[in-house]
């Protein structure tokens, strides 16, 4: 008989179970406490849009933690669609938008738009969810540009003189 645990569908189910358990532990650590949201949207290789959500909070020992809680596939990257996806993810993990005290996104208009961006929509529901621009995203963009412009130098640095 073949061991069915090596079947790709079984492996996927096992990974999904582990992911759910880890996410549950993270959300139980937060419970009814306050937290921040870090959100980024992008498309995968098949051009399907997805939303990655990270929570930032202080645990019971006073340690600041940032933990990934999920990827949500969205049809559109409009601010209202992104907000609904975030609300759904939070609700599925017993977290409330009322406890959000910070929100961080990149600089795209659908995220930080003053009147109709995700930032504004969440601020309407929770005025305590202060917006902070995600500078890590800018740093990543700078690193990519610098690396692309210096590729020939990387090869030269590896050559023996």
């Amino acid at each position: 008989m073949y061991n069915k645990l090596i079947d790709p569908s079984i492996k996927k189910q096992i990974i999904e179970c582990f992911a759910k358990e880890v996410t549950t532990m993270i959300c139980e650590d937060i419970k009814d406490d306050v937290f921040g949201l870090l959100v980024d949207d992008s498309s995968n290789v098949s051009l399907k849009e997805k939303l990655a959500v990270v929570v930032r909070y202080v645990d019971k020992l006073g340690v600041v933690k940032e933990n990934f809680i999920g990827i949500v596939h969205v049809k559109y990257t409009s601010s209202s669609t992104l907000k609904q996806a975030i609300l759904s993810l939070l609700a599925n993990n017993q977290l409330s938008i009322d406890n959000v005290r910070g929100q961080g996104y990149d600089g795209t208009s659908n995220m930080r738009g003053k009147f109709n961006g995700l930032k504004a929509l969440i601020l309407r529901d929770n005025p305590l969810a202060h917006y902070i621009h995600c500078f890590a995203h800018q740093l990543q963009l700078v690193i990519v540009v610098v690396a692309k412009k210096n590729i020939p130098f990387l090869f030269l640095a590896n050559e023996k003189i």
Side-chain angles (χ1 to χ4, degrees):
M1 289 283 177
Y2 294 99
N3 187 350
K4 294 192 182 253
L5 290 178
I6 62 171
D7 182 75
S9 65
I10 298 296
K11 288 179 183 179
K12 184 176 180 183
Q13 289 175 1
I14 291 170
I15 290 169
E16 288 172 354
C17 288
F18 279 127
K20 184 64 180 166
E21 285 298 314
V22 170
T23 303
T24 299
M25 288 173 35
I26 292 166
C27 295
E28 284 177 0
D29 199 22
I30 298 171
K31 286 194 180 177
D32 294 325
D33 214 346
V34 296
F35 60 95
L37 288 174
L38 300 171
V39 179
D40 194 17
D41 64 331
S42 64
S43 57
N44 61 17
V45 292
S46 60
L47 301 178
K48 292 182 180 176
E49 297 292 336
K50 61 184 185 287
L51 188 69
V53 180
V54 171
V55 290
R56 185 171 192 182
Y57 63 99
V58 179
D59 72 3
K60 308 295 184 259
L61 300 173
V63 177
V64 176
K65 294 192 172 183
E66 281 186 6
N67 288 307
F68 171 78
I69 62 165
I71 290 181
V72 182
H73 293 277
V74 291
K75 273 190 166 181
Y76 310 104
T77 57
S78 69
S79 54
S80 59
T81 304
L82 297 178
K83 179 188 172 196
Q84 196 55 45
I86 290 169
L87 292 177
S88 177
L89 180 67
L90 293 178
N92 289 342
N93 289 294
Q94 287 76 44
L95 297 175
S96 172
I97 194 72
D98 296 334
N99 292 344
V100 174
R101 292 299 180 265
Q103 48 179 324
Y105 317 116
D106 60 16
T108 58
S109 61
N110 65 332
M111 293 291 207
R112 66 160 176 78
K114 190 172 186 177
F115 300 108
N116 293 318
L118 180 60
K119 168 190 88 165
L121 296 179
I122 289 180
L123 280 170
R124 284 183 200 141
D125 289 349
N126 179 358
L128 298 174
H130 298 286
Y131 170 74
I132 300 162
H133 183 80
C134 182
F135 288 103
H137 182 73
Q138 284 182 324
L139 178 61
Q140 176 188 2
L141 294 175
V142 168
I143 291 171
V144 168
V145 169
V146 169
K148 284 182 179 177
K149 291 190 180 273
N150 289 305
I151 287 175
F153 297 113
L154 293 175
F155 291 118
L156 290 176
N158 290 329
E159 291 182 12
K160 295 190 183 206
I161 300 176

